[in-house]
Amino acid sequence: MANGEQGRNDAERWFERYLGEHGYEYDYEPDFDEVDTHPDFLAQRGGVEMVCEVKGFEEPPPSNGAQLRARR
């Protein structure tokens, strides 16, 4: 599994840093023979693998306080 920032957008690059800082090995956009799509990451740590699709947001979601004020 390769490491090093390869992500194409801010969210993917942030997630790559998270994986690296927490001891995960990962592949960016791995090739799976069984499916036609390419998930963003295949990460592994401690013998466990996970497939990850990363999505970014234009703006962070409002905090609970902001939601409560907006409803009043």
Side-chain angles (χ1 to χ4, degrees):
M1 292 193 165
N3 287 321
E5 288 189 23
Q6 302 170 32
R8 294 190 177 136
N9 61 48
D10 289 341
E12 291 173 353
R13 287 189 296 273
W14 179 89
F15 191 67
E16 283 182 282
R17 286 190 296 274
Y18 175 89
L19 291 172
E21 290 170 3
H22 290 86
Y24 288 90
E25 293 184 19
Y26 62 88
D27 284 328
Y28 178 71
E29 293 191 344
D31 219 359
F32 290 102
D33 294 332
E34 307 85 30
V35 294
D36 294 333
T37 61
H38 296 279
D40 292 325
F41 295 92
L42 173 64
Q44 177 181 352
R45 185 175 76 177
V48 176
E49 288 185 331
M50 64 180 171
V51 176
C52 306
E53 185 69 26
V54 177
K55 299 293 179 198
F57 297 93
E58 293 290 322
E59 295 181 24
S63 68
N64 287 338
Q67 289 174 348
L68 291 174
R69 284 190 296 277
R71 291 182 185 163
R72 290 183 188 170

